[in-house]
Amino acid sequence: MKAIGGEGRVIEVLLVEDSPGDVRLTQEAFKDATVTTRLHVVSDGVEAMDFVKREGAHANAPRPDLILLDLNLPKMDGREVLALIKEDADFKTIPVVVLTTSGAEEDILRTYRLHANCYLVKPVDLNGFLSVVKSIDDFWLARVRLPHEAEK
């Protein structure tokens, strides 16, 4: 995790992912992030909403600047999480990048109708997965001006 240009920016990223292997790969890929990134991980949809709303065990959680959301999650699936986030005036400006194994056209269309900011299919091979995560870093963390950052 590096700061770009000494700006000292810290980007709070919430990863909502139930696969321990994908969590480890994402953590590894973010170690070389362009900007200083704090990656927070939750493994189901209910915990994701607790984190975003800062409830329960996540009462002191930071507001995420970006959410990486898997669709197929236990307790509450990613589609439900996305709908709840985008329906709430306090949270709908948080960019949500869907990062999932499904390449089904119906999933892509449904998540965009729920106002996902981006839909990425997880490659099955290690190098492909790392490449996708690095592309998230390059675009969403290094180039995009995130809403919460603009509020600071």
Side-chain angles (χ1 to χ4, degrees), residues 31-80:
K31 282 183 182 177
D32 297 323
T34 308
V35 297
T36 302
T37 306
R38 285 195 198 108
L39 187 64
H40 307 273
V41 180
V42 297
S43 59
D44 65 64
V46 171
E47 191 178 4
M49 290 311 302
D50 285 348
F51 189 99
V52 171
K53 292 181 175 184
R54 299 176 186 153
E55 295 178 345
H58 299 287
N60 295 320
R63 176 186 170 93
D65 294 307
L66 178 69
I67 298 172
L68 304 178
L69 179 65
D70 189 15
L71 290 183
N72 303 310
L73 298 167
K75 298 184 182 177
M76 178 190 302
D77 83 1
R79 295 158 197 85
E80 293 172 90

Side-chain angles (χ1 to χ4, degrees), residues 65-141:
D65 294 307
L66 178 69
I67 298 172
L68 304 178
L69 179 65
D70 189 15
L71 290 183
N72 303 310
L73 298 167
K75 298 184 182 177
M76 178 190 302
D77 83 1
R79 295 158 197 85
E80 293 172 90
V81 171
L82 177 61
L84 289 170
I85 289 169
K86 294 302 182 175
E87 289 171 357
D88 191 306
D90 291 334
F91 309 126
K92 69 180 175 183
T93 59
I94 300 171
V96 177
V97 173
V98 172
L99 182 60
T100 188
T101 55
S102 172
E105 194 63 36
E106 65 189 53
D107 283 333
I108 296 167
L109 184 58
R110 183 172 176 201
T111 56
Y112 277 118
R113 284 184 175 152
L114 292 171
H115 305 287
N117 296 87
C118 182
Y119 192 103
L120 297 170
V121 177
K122 293 180 197 172
V124 292
D125 65 290
L126 173 64
N127 288 334
F129 186 89
L130 291 173
S131 177
V132 165
V133 175
K134 288 180 191 284
S135 73
I136 292 169
D137 167 44
D138 181 53
F139 183 74
W140 286 100
L141 304 181

